[in-house]
Amino acid sequence: MHFTSEQCLDDGILEREFTIGEIPGTLWTPGSAPAPLILMAHNNGLPKSASRLVARARHTAAYGYAVATIDAHGCGDRPRSAADEQARADLRRAMQAGEPVDELFESLIGPLVEKAVPEWQTALDTLQSLPEIGHTVGYSGWTAVGIRLAVAEPRIAAAGFFAGGYVPRAQREEARQLTVPLLFLLQWDDEGNPRQRALDLFDAFGSREKTLHANMGGHIGTPWFEMEDGGRFYDRHLK
């Protein structure tokens, strides 16, 4: 692991850019250490520098958590294969034409999940070797990756998912194997993400403790107070 930059933010949070081999990432740590770790992933390959993710990460770190995010394979600024680029182009064309897009999403998101989860596990292995990182681990963000990671990785003790975004059929089946405490955030009027599909997914989760928060509004309209509720959720399960 190689830290490439660092800055101390006004609230005492230390923000550091790092690389693990070819994997670039950002780590936010509070003044208190060791701190429980939350892995934070953005939906569908958006970069780790996306403003909404950075705001969530800094807010979560202020609650006393270490927060890490990475640009996994094919995500953010990392190179994409010709097949990835073609899948994205086909998807944009179909959406503009109002054509069915599920199979195109499968061809794009399915491989992203398959490649991203091992890289998240590599990052977790390395991050937990740092003295400022505690033993308990949570997950926040992209549902498709989160399902696979929480099922495959016993270190994940609690997960918060955003319902927006396509979840491949394989992960919808894996959802039945998920057992960790779960907070699921749904935007009731999320354009392009059928509400009933999200409700069916929530029903499929195998967790004995699972909570659904539904709010009015579109895809990026999640109310900021959900960050406060999310903080209390992680406090219950990670501290």
Side-chain angles (χ1 to χ4, degrees), residues 43 141 143 160-167 182-203 205 211-227 229:
N43 270 9
T143 300
F161 295 156
F162 287 81
Y166 185 82
V167 176
L182 175 66
L183 176 62
F184 196 49
L185 301 182
L186 170 64
Q187 286 301 103
W188 203 244
D189 306 300
D190 191 345
E191 57 278 9
N193 293 297
R195 180 190 309 158
Q196 190 59 52
R197 182 177 289 174
L199 295 173
D200 291 343
L201 180 62
F202 179 77
D203 190 50
F205 288 129
T211 301
L212 171 67
H213 286 187
N215 291 284
M216 303 302 293
H219 183 69
I220 60 172
T222 304
W224 190 249
F225 62 71
E226 289 292 359
M227 289 297 302
D229 286 342

Side-chain angles (χ1 to χ4, degrees), residues 40-118:
M40 191 168 286
H42 213 322
N43 270 9
N44 296 353
L46 291 176
K48 62 184 178 61
S49 59
S51 59
R52 284 181 289 147
L53 184 145
V54 171
R56 283 169 44 215
R58 291 178 174 179
H59 190 85
T60 302
Y63 268 92
Y65 293 95
V67 181
T69 187
I70 65 170
D71 279 343
H73 182 91
C75 297
D77 295 326
R78 290 184 66 182
R80 294 172 179 166
S81 68
D84 290 339
E85 294 292 4
Q86 185 61 53
R88 291 176 187 275
D90 291 344
L91 180 60
R92 287 192 295 269
R93 179 197 56 75
M95 293 179 72
Q96 291 169 356
E99 298 172 358
V101 294
D102 278 11
E103 293 307 316
L104 293 171
F105 269 122
E106 286 285 335
S107 67
L108 174 63
I109 304 302
L112 277 182
V113 172
E114 294 291 337
K115 295 172 183 176
V117 168

